[in-house]
Amino acid sequence: MAIKRLRGLRWLGGMARGDLLAFVPAAGLAGYWYGVAGALLVIGAALSVAWLARDAGTSPAATLARDAAIQLPDRAAAVTTLDAALAEVVTTNRATAAFVLGIDDAEALLATYGDAAYAQILRRTGEQLQGVLREGDLVAYLGQARFAVVLMPVRRADLESVLQIATRLQAAAEVPQSIETRAVYLSAHVGFCLVSRAPASGGSAMLDAAETAADEALRQGPGSIRAYSSEIARATRERSEQVEAVSAAQEDGKIVAYFLPQISADTGDISGFELVPRWLQADADLPDSAAVLAAVQAAGLRARLGEVLLYHGFSAARGWATAGLPAIALTLPLSLDELRNPQFPDRLKWELDRFEFPPARLRLLVPEAAATDGAQEMVARTLAALARLGCAIELAGFGDGPAPIAALRRYAVQRLRIQRSFITRVDADPEAQSMVAAILSLAAQLGLETLADGVASIGEHAMLAQLGCGHLQGPVVARAMAFEDTQEWITRHRGKLQPAPPITRRKR
């Protein structure tokens, strides 16, 4: 009731400054000619007119700041509405909740449909969310394909009922849309925060908590729903500390390139080294290159990491040449961020020239997402420029995603990488053998080389060689090693290789 009285006073004050001023002359004349009764009659009419017009100009919803492109209230409006809802909760003994819903794979949508259609998708998503809410509930746009939903106070808002609302919001966002005569199917993640679990008072803190829960849902995979809790908050803080630590480590030169050997599956000859990041003196929480890559990506330092790996790789090549070892190819993993950078090919060319490293001996490992139909045009241009430099393009994860076969020719792919998930127990599993054989047959028909990743046993090695796989890497060969250990390993490995025995005709 206190909030309603406050809103009424605010409305009345607004009228005193605006609407009623137009009736002052009329009220004065009525008082002059008809006395007090006439003046009161005019003032009453003025109040009635202003009250009937209140929705058009003075309602709280009408005065909320709105996102121009998406045509929804913005983050500030969501915080203001949450503050009002929380104040009402205190006086009415009701409850509320805040939701943050995000579109999965928003970047792919933007790349596929373009800015205008992408904005249209977001606007329709907002409309679909509003369609399953009450009149007083608010849908706001937070940016980055995320929406906030503020639930106005209700009698019951426990975990079970709010989870049902989250599921309903997710279902509304995932209703197929028709854009440019094409059906668009969305996937959405949801995070929410109950007023009873808010980490601090105020609408801003509650909305931040819902965003933290949404971040956790996104990490769990498409279509996930998570409620804010102290455990999620603690895990988020730990990840933030990890990002800070990896940033400091990279600045201090503690993240370096290690070298993962690659060999011919048939002859055993060394065919190259993949450059993988290693965090020197890292904590046990980040033991492998995948974890380091994830932390570096979260810190926004992926491009800088690529420069570090490239420098260490080219320096190693010089060291091997000085030691009299034969030339060895290098594989550099790239990220989509690097491929979206139009200056990357020029920077790579400068490094190749500086170290006098032949481009043909550098393989660029691109993620499978770079070859999908939804890849940005800039990615395609960058790959074409890298191919013109003479670098070999290797595609990771083929067969494990939506990359079309036509993209292999379009992006001048020279080698396919077969993921570990395909080759696990390939020596004993007929289904795995059939799957790998199909991939290898396709590669052979297209004239592409192949490399199996994560080969863990001699049996897998032997079966892959029989099926026709060209190269392999993994524990069965060797684990990633520091540059200081590579020369000894190369010498030892080549010493174990025996020349094939000559085939002679048996004498009678």
Side-chain angles (χ1 to χ4, degrees):
M1 292 300 294
I3 291 179
K4 291 180 180 178
R5 285 197 297 270
L6 179 61
R7 290 176 180 169
L9 290 173
R10 189 185 302 118
W11 167 79
L12 187 59
M15 285 198 306
R17 292 189 302 271
D19 298 337
L20 279 181
L21 294 179
F23 288 88
V24 169
L29 288 174
Y32 177 77
W33 290 104
Y34 299 104
V36 176
L40 291 176
L41 182 63
V42 173
I43 291 173
L47 290 172
S48 299
V49 171
W51 175 258
L52 291 173
R54 70 192 186 281
D55 290 336
T58 60
S59 69
T63 59
L64 292 176
R66 304 178 73 83
D67 182 279
I70 310 304
Q71 300 176 6
L72 284 174
D74 61 9
R75 182 187 186 88
V79 172
T80 299
T81 306
L82 256 178
D83 285 333
L86 291 172
E88 188 171 338
V89 164
V90 173
T91 59
T92 61
N93 198 29
R94 291 194 167 199
T96 186
F99 304 81
V100 170
L101 180 144
I103 303 300
D104 300 324
D105 297 327
E107 289 188 0
L109 281 176
L110 176 60
T112 302
Y113 297 100
D115 293 337
Y118 179 69
Q120 184 179 355
I121 291 171
L122 294 179
R123 284 195 296 270
R124 289 186 182 177
T125 302
E127 293 169 358
Q128 291 169 182
L129 293 175
Q130 289 173 321
V132 297
L133 295 170
R134 301 169 302 168
E135 183 178 353
D137 298 332
L138 177 75
V139 178
Y141 184 64
L142 303 178
Q144 304 298 319
R146 278 193 167 179
F147 301 82
V149 174
V150 179
L151 191 67
M152 296 309 291
V154 294
R155 263 185 283 181
R156 180 188 175 195
D158 57 12
L159 181 61
E160 182 61 31
S161 60
V162 173
L163 182 58
Q164 292 177 5
I165 295 174
T167 303
R168 191 161 68 243
L169 290 171
Q170 185 184 56
E174 293 179 349
V175 172
Q177 302 180 25
S178 178
I179 301 294
E180 299 174 351
T181 70
R182 298 172 63 182
V184 179
Y185 297 90
L186 304 181
S187 173
H189 58 274
V190 184
F192 63 87
C193 179
L194 302 172
V195 65
S196 59
R197 294 189 179 183
S201 60
S204 181
M206 193 167 176
L207 184 58
D208 288 344
E211 284 188 289
T212 299
D215 291 339
E216 181 64 24
L218 180 60
R219 273 187 286 271
Q220 296 302 318
S224 298
I225 299 177
R226 289 295 182 272
Y228 176 82
S229 65
S230 57
E231 291 78 12
I232 287 179
R234 183 173 60 253
T236 301
R237 286 194 300 271
E238 291 175 354
R239 278 190 291 269
S240 178
E241 293 171 356
Q242 193 177 86
V243 167
E244 293 179 4
V246 77
S247 300
Q250 187 151 311
E251 289 298 321
D252 294 341
K254 293 182 178 179
I255 297 183
V256 301
Y258 265 42
F259 299 84
L260 181 63
Q262 301 171 341
I263 65 172
S264 166
D266 186 24
T267 66
D269 290 334
I270 300 172
S271 55
F273 282 97
E274 180 178 347
L275 305 174
V276 299
R278 182 59 54 89
W279 189 346
L280 300 180
Q281 302 174 352
D283 295 335
D285 293 337
L286 287 174
D288 57 19
S289 60
V292 177
L293 281 172
V296 169
Q297 188 75 33
L301 298 171
R302 186 63 179 81
R304 173 58 182 155
L305 176 63
E307 295 174 0
V308 171
L309 295 179
L310 204 59
Y311 175 81
H312 289 175
F314 289 167
S315 299
R318 278 185 174 178
W320 296 329
T322 302
L325 296 174
I328 298 176
L330 298 175
T331 299
L332 174 69
L334 298 180
S335 67
L336 280 177
D337 290 340
E338 290 169 296
L339 292 172
R340 292 189 182 107
N341 181 3
Q343 298 177 338
F344 177 73
D346 292 335
R347 289 166 54 186
L348 178 60
K349 183 179 185 305
W350 187 84
E351 292 289 347
L352 289 167
D353 293 341
R354 180 162 74 108
F355 284 90
E356 298 179 344
F357 191 89
R361 281 172 45 202
L362 179 63
R363 295 187 178 276
L364 302 175
L365 178 63
V366 302
E368 185 267 349
T372 62
D373 287 333
Q376 291 186 2
E377 189 63 28
M378 182 54 69
V379 173
R381 292 179 59 188
T382 301
L383 285 172
L386 294 172
R388 286 194 298 271
L389 279 179
C391 299
I393 306 299
E394 180 174 338
L395 182 64
F398 183 79
D400 202 22
I405 295 177
L408 301 179
R409 185 175 301 277
R410 179 185 179 190
Y411 298 126
V413 174
Q414 296 184 17
R415 186 160 80 176
L416 296 181
R417 175 166 296 200
I418 306 173
Q419 298 298 95
R420 171 65 189 169
S421 59
F422 286 103
I423 62 176
T424 301
R425 292 181 52 80
V426 70
D427 54 328
D429 186 351
E431 292 186 2
Q433 293 171 13
S434 299
M435 182 67 69
V436 172
I439 297 174
L440 294 174
S441 176
L442 173 65
Q445 292 295 322
L446 296 175
L448 303 178
E449 297 182 7
T450 52
L451 179 141
D453 188 22
V455 182
S457 68
I458 295 176
E460 291 176 351
H461 178 177
M463 179 55 67
L464 288 167
Q466 291 179 32
L467 292 174
C469 183
H471 307 269
L472 53 86
Q473 66 182 30
V476 73
V477 179
R479 299 189 181 277
M481 63 191 74
F483 167 70
E484 293 77 12
D485 300 325
T486 56
Q487 183 174 340
E488 180 185 352
W489 182 87
I490 292 171
T491 303
R492 187 172 63 251
H493 178 81
R494 286 184 167 157
K496 293 188 298 182
L497 298 178
Q498 299 294 331
I503 300 176
T504 58
R505 183 174 297 180
R506 185 177 177 181
K507 296 181 179 180
R508 293 182 180 180

